Amino acid sequence: MQVQPLTDLLNGFGVPAAGSIASAVVFVVAFVLVYALGKAIVLPIVDRSLKSRDLDTHARRPLKKVVSIGVVFVAISVAFGMADYGNFLQSLATIAAAATLAIGFAMQDVIQNFVAGVFIYTDKPFRIGDWIEWDGNSGVVEDISLRVTRVRTFDNELLTVPNSNLTDGVIKNPVAKEQLRLKFVFGIDYDDDIDEATEIILDEARAHPEIMDDPEPSVRLVELGDSSVGLQSRIWIKNPSRSDFVKTRAEYVKAVKQRFDAEDINMPYPNRTIGGGLEMTGLDGVVEPADD
C-alpha cells in the first residue's frame, strides 16, 4: 500500500486532508502487518533457539522481551518509511537528542534496575523457584524481569523487589546447591552422659529417611552453658526447599526429644533465683508508737 494512490482515491471522494489521512492509514496498516509477522515468525524462532541452548526460564524471558521491543522498533521504522513520514532513525535521533537529559534524569532508577537485571541474568545468583534471603526478607522467587523480581514469602505475601536491591547487598541462596547442612544444638544436663546423648542424636539422624548418610551426621560439644551442655548436631538433606528444611528439622528434633525423655536425659532450661532482703532506715521520726 502506497500513500499517493490512496491520497488520490480519497481526493476523488472529496475527503478533506486526504494526504494526512492516507499517510496515517498506511502507517497503521504497515505497522500492524510488520508487527504481526514478527510476532508470528521471529518470536517463535527466537524462543526455539533459546530453548535449544538450555537457557533457564528467567534467562529466556528478558531476552524475549528485548526481541519483542526490536520487532516493535522495526515495525515503526517500516511504517514511517511507507507513510512518507521521512527517515524514522533520523527523526528518532532528533527527538532523543532533545529528550536525553530529561529522560536520563527521570529514569535513573529504571536504568539502574535494568542493569541489575542484566547482572542477575548473567551471574545467576538465583533462579525462579529458589528460596532466597536478603535484608531480613525471605521467600521463593516467582518471576524475574528486567526491572523487578517477584518473591512469594512463606506467609503467602508477594514482594515486588527492584533488581538493584538484590544486587547491591548480600543474597543468601540456601538451595543453590544439591545439598543443605542443618545445625541444631541440644542442651543436656551436666549430670547426663554425653556419649549416650551423642549416640541418641546420631541414631535418630540415621533413622530419618530425609537425612543423608553421606555426608554422615555428626555431633560436636560446642558449649558449656550456665545450665546445660550444648551438643551441636550437623545433618545434611538432599535437594532442599524451605518446606523440606522446616519439616525435616522439626521431625528430627521431636524424635531426639522423645528419645531423651525415654532414656531420662534432661534438657534443662535457664532459671533464675532472686534472693535478698529489704532494709528500711530513717523511719523513727515518721512512725510513732500508739498510746494504749
Side-chain angles (χ1 to χ4, degrees):
M1 180 180 291
Q2 295 181 349
V3 175
Q4 190 58 46
L6 183 58
T7 302
D8 295 339
L9 178 63
L10 294 175
N11 282 327
F13 286 102
V15 177
S20 300
I21 295 176
S23 296
V25 171
V26 171
F27 178 87
V28 172
V29 172
F31 174 83
V32 171
L33 288 176
V34 176
Y35 180 75
L37 287 175
K39 292 280 286 187
I41 298 174
V42 177
L43 288 182
I45 293 175
V46 171
D47 190 41
R48 287 195 296 270
S49 176
L50 295 176
K51 287 182 179 178
S52 67
R53 288 170 170 77
D54 294 327
L55 290 179
D56 296 327
T57 302
H58 85 275
R60 294 200 304 268
R61 285 181 180 176
L63 290 178
K64 289 168 64 177
K65 288 182 180 179
V66 170
V67 174
S68 298
I69 294 173
V71 170
V72 173
F73 184 83
V74 171
I76 294 176
S77 300
V78 173
F80 252 75
M82 295 189 67
D84 291 339
Y85 284 151
N87 190 306
F88 173 69
L89 294 179
Q90 182 178 357
S91 302
L92 183 64
T94 303
I95 296 172
T100 296
L101 182 61
I103 293 176
F105 180 78
M107 297 185 64
Q108 288 184 30
D109 292 339
V110 175
I111 295 173
Q112 181 182 9
N113 290 321
F114 176 84
V115 173
V118 173
F119 284 138
I120 291 175
Y121 160 66
T122 56
D123 296 341
K124 299 180 181 179
F126 53 82
R127 303 179 180 184
I128 292 176
D130 282 1
W131 151 35
I132 62 173
E133 299 178 357
W134 80 101
D135 293 339
N137 300 299
S138 63
V140 176
V141 178
E142 285 196 350
D143 181 59
I144 303 172
S145 68
L146 289 174
R147 191 179 66 85
V148 298
T149 296
R150 293 175 175 83
V151 180
R152 180 74 61 178
T153 71
F154 301 108
D155 293 328
N156 203 33
E157 300 170 333
L158 182 62
L159 302 181
T160 301
V161 188
N163 286 331
S164 59
N165 289 10
L166 298 176
T167 56
D168 292 343
V170 177
I171 301 176
K172 180 179 179 180
N173 188 345
V175 296
K177 303 299 181 181
E178 294 182 353
Q179 300 173 353
L180 175 66
R181 188 177 73 175
L182 307 180
K183 297 186 291 184
F184 190 87
V185 176
F186 295 95
I188 64 172
D189 196 279
Y190 272 88
D191 295 331
D192 291 327
D193 190 320
I194 294 178
D195 292 334
E196 180 183 2
T198 299
E199 192 59 33
I200 290 174
I201 295 172
L202 292 175
D203 284 346
E204 294 304 321
R206 299 185 186 110
H208 197 289
E210 300 300 326
I211 295 177
M212 300 177 62
D213 296 326
D214 185 19
E216 64 180 6
S218 63
V219 178
R220 298 289 186 272
L221 195 159
V222 293
E223 63 180 14
L224 298 175
D226 294 336
S227 58
S228 65
V229 176
L231 301 177
Q232 185 183 78
S233 172
R234 302 180 181 184
I235 58 176
W236 293 81
I237 61 174
K238 191 174 183 180
N239 298 324
S241 69
R242 168 75 180 198
S243 58
D244 294 337
F245 152 62
V246 173
K247 179 175 178 289
T248 299
R249 185 179 66 176
E251 292 175 347
Y252 170 56
V253 172
K254 179 180 178 181
V256 173
K257 175 64 168 60
Q258 291 174 340
R259 280 288 303 278
F260 278 1
D261 292 342
E263 302 295 335
D264 290 329
I265 295 179
N266 297 317
M267 299 180 70
Y269 50 85
N271 59 79
R272 297 287 184 269
T273 301
I274 300 177
L278 181 63
E279 182 179 353
M280 302 179 68
T281 60
L283 298 179
D284 294 341
V286 178
V287 179
E288 297 180 355
D291 297 330
D292 293 336

